[in-house]
Structure formats: C-alpha cells, structure tokens
Amino acid sequence: MKTMPLSFASEPHATTPLRRWALRAASALALATGLFAAGVQAASAAPLRIGYSDWPGWVAWQVAIDKGWFKEAGLDVKFDWFDYAASMDAFAANKLDAVLVTNGDALTMGANGAKNVMALITDYSNGNDMVIAKPPARKIQDLKGKKIGVEFGVVDHLLLLDALQRAGMKESDVTLVNAKTNETPQVLASSDVAAIAAWQPNAGEAQRAVPGARPVFTSADEPGLIYDVLAVNPVSLAAHKADYEKLAKVWYRVVKYIDDPATQPDAVKIMAARVGLTPAQYLPLLKGTKLLTLPEAQQAYVKADGFRSLYGSSRAADAFNVKYQVYKSAQDVSAYVDPSLTGALK
C-alpha cells in the first residue's frame, strides 16, 4: 500500500481515532477495573444502561423508547445518547452495561481491556458506507494509480480494501491519503484525490460537493462486511440474563414495526426526530441499513467463514485491526460472540 506522510502504516506510533480511543480507554479501565463486577448485586435494582449513537440501526431503538415498549415488557432500561467514540469511553469506564458498536470496534474494545460479548446483532451496513469517485471514474478499476482519501484504521478503510480486492487490484495500485471521515467531503472537493471512502452522511455530502461524483462501491456490494451489534459486559449479561432476553424481544418488535409498510412512516418520523432530520431526509439513510429479522440474525450467528456469518466477518475485522495496528494481538473471535439471546427466541 502506498501511503502519504505520517500515515498509520508508516508511523507505528501515529494516533488514529481508534488508537486514541484505545489509549483513553486503557486509562479509564485502569481506574474502573473490578468496580462493575463488585457492584452487580448492589446495583441489581438499577436499570440497565445502554449507550447508543447516530446510526440507523441504533437510532431504531428510539421507537421502543418513545412507544413505551420497555415498560410494557417489564424492563427497566435507560438508553444514554452519545457521540460514538464517547459511548465506547463510557463502556470502557464501566459506566454502561452495554453499548452499540460495529463488530470490529467490539474487538477493539476487548483488545484494550473492555471485555464484551456481541449478544445481539442489530443490522449490517447495506449501502451507507461508500467509495465516492470523481468523474470520469465509473468503477473501482478506474482509480488505479490515483489517490484515495480515507481515515486509516476505521471501517471504511476496510471497505476500501475489500473493494480493491474484489476488483482484482492490490493496495499498491492506489495511493491512500489519510483523511478524517468528517472532512472527506472537503477533501474530495478541494484536493487532488480521485475518490474518498466514508459513511453517511459524510458520503452523501462528498457526492454533493463534486458535480458528477458517484458511488463506485458500497457496503451493499459486500453484505455483512460491517455488522452492528449490542456489545454487553459479560458480568452484566450473566447477572441480568432475563432482562436481556426481554430486551431482545423488544428489539425484534422494533424491527417488525420499521419493516412494516403500514407503520414504517411513524418509525421513520421518530428516528428522524432523534437526529434532527426530516423523515424525507432520514428515509434514504434507513434504506442503506439492513435491519436483521430474527431468522436472519440467527443465521448470521452460525459459525462459518465469509461475511454472511458474524464469525467470518469478525475474523476479517480482527485481521484488519492487527494489520493496521489498531491493536497488537489477534483476538479469539469466538469468545466475543454470544448467540444465546437470539438463539432462544422463536
């Protein structure tokens, strides 16, 4: 892979957002180790605390919150809204029982001491993560020899590498330019890069910033490359298994409500309001997210290679994380996957 100066690959001690997060998390964890486990019995009457942030598969929980479905289920749970990295900080500091993250970031948290199990799959990205190219490029192969902006060590770096591989190209066929994801629209518009890799809404902003810019690869081209999960502290899961079973049942009620054409408009209205968009603005973001039904989630929990399985997808994420120094040692993916909640439902 060709890289620009101060790249993650050429500078082992350079700090990407995930590396910076890992350093913060390690410090927080040193202060918090043992406190969560010691306080489980004393806190048994307290609500489950779950961190969520701005991604359609996680904003979907707002439907259950607004509809009062947790109370109906006899479940005492509090959802705390965060910026994404801050939610991982809070989980690492044992301020949350569970947090909504990508499967790759669940591994990152665990590798840095914040042990967790992926107890529920909410969705996979189905088009919201994109490689956006300037004209005249119309396909990935047209980017050979060109510069591509992407934030090193995050999920759309993985997406880009997968796109190159599927196109029969090597990393060395392009030059990767390290660019913060939230700056990719400006990077595509103002620099000499031919393309960027980013997730929504940044991907859409980048496309609008350059006339004729178009997606040449999206996460819809590789279903299951990026799963989104509820990562749960194993101590909390063991202590409150019945509550998490209720939570899982509510989740599939949410999925059914969103998927039903009769109720989807109301669901989209709720979700859009949570993030300050109109329903018309939010609907395309929802369409780029594949919420898994119960049978689909149960299938994704079957051990297998490839991206149709959470195991196979997470092994690919683990290899990526080690290669690009997000963390040092390969993780035992099987230890992170707990299919019991989903497997128990019918």
Side-chain angles (χ1 to χ4, degrees):
M1 177 184 67
K2 301 175 186 176
T3 55
M4 301 303 289
L6 298 181
S7 73
F8 192 94
S10 63
E11 293 289 332
H13 300 290
T15 55
T16 65
L18 278 178
R19 182 176 288 275
R20 289 195 298 271
W21 174 82
L23 293 172
R24 294 199 307 270
S27 177
L29 194 68
L31 296 174
T33 298
L35 294 179
F36 189 92
V40 164
Q41 288 186 329
S44 60
L48 294 180
R49 297 197 66 172
I50 297 175
Y52 72 134
S53 52
D54 191 358
W55 173 259
W58 307 334
V59 178
W61 290 99
Q62 196 67 41
V63 174
I65 295 169
D66 285 14
K67 294 289 185 182
W69 290 346
F70 295 119
K71 185 176 181 180
E72 285 183 25
L75 181 59
D76 191 7
V77 61
K78 184 177 187 300
F79 276 75
D80 293 329
W81 184 257
F82 290 92
D83 288 335
Y84 183 54
S87 72
M88 293 191 289
D89 286 342
F91 182 81
N94 285 328
K95 295 178 181 178
L96 296 171
D97 294 271
V99 63
L100 288 150
V101 293
T102 68
N103 57 325
D105 287 345
L107 298 175
T108 299
M109 292 193 302
N112 288 283
K115 298 303 180 184
N116 66 87
V117 290
M118 293 182 267
L120 194 66
I121 306 171
T122 57
D123 65 277
Y124 61 71
S125 179
N126 194 38
N128 278 343
D129 295 80
M130 307 178 185
V131 179
I132 304 291
K134 290 178 180 176
R138 301 177 67 87
K139 56 186 184 297
I140 287 289
Q141 290 88 339
D142 294 336
L143 299 175
K144 188 170 184 177
K146 306 293 186 182
K147 295 179 181 179
I148 304 175
V150 63
E151 187 167 355
F152 293 170
V154 300
V155 291
D156 282 344
H157 187 180
L158 175 60
L159 177 82
L160 176 58
L161 297 181
D162 185 71
L164 294 172
Q165 182 179 31
R166 284 169 59 93
M169 297 170 64
K170 300 186 290 291
E171 295 173 47
S172 57
D173 288 332
V174 298
T175 299
L176 300 189
V177 180
N178 197 6
K180 293 180 180 179
T181 300
N182 63 355
E183 295 176 0
T184 49
Q186 297 93 322
V187 169
L188 187 66
S190 63
S191 73
D192 60 349
V193 303
I196 56 91
W199 56 80
Q200 292 283 27
N202 301 290
E205 292 173 8
Q207 189 173 349
R208 292 189 294 272
V210 178
R214 64 171 63 200
V216 293
F217 189 86
T218 80
S219 50
D221 296 311
E222 192 69 280
L225 177 69
I226 306 167
Y227 281 99
D228 298 303
V229 300
L230 181 72
V232 182
N233 184 304
V235 175
S236 178
L237 183 60
H240 303 285
K241 191 67 175 285
D243 287 335
Y244 284 106
E245 290 172 353
K246 293 177 183 178
L247 188 78
K249 290 179 181 179
V250 171
W251 169 249
Y252 290 107
R253 184 178 180 183
V254 169
V255 173
K256 184 177 180 180
Y257 196 80
I258 293 173
D259 284 347
D260 188 339
T263 51
Q264 186 178 87
D266 183 52
V268 172
K269 181 180 178 181
I270 292 170
M271 296 168 69
R274 167 68 268 192
V275 297
L277 296 177
T278 67
Q281 291 171 323
Y282 200 80
L283 185 59
L285 304 182
L286 179 61
K287 297 299 184 183
T289 307
K290 170 56 181 172
L291 300 177
L292 270 63
T293 64
L294 177 58
E296 290 168 338
Q298 289 172 334
Q299 186 60 42
Y301 268 119
V302 174
K303 283 189 177 181
D305 294 328
F307 297 120
R308 293 295 183 177
S309 167
L310 179 61
Y311 291 88
S313 174
S314 298
R315 282 194 289 268
D318 180 58
F320 169 83
N321 286 343
V322 172
K323 180 176 181 179
Y324 291 96
Q325 304 175 50
V326 177
Y327 48 76
K328 292 181 179 180
S329 301
Q331 300 296 294
D332 177 6
V333 167
S334 294
Y336 283 82
V337 181
D338 187 337
S340 61
L341 293 181
T342 300
L345 298 179
K346 296 180 181 180

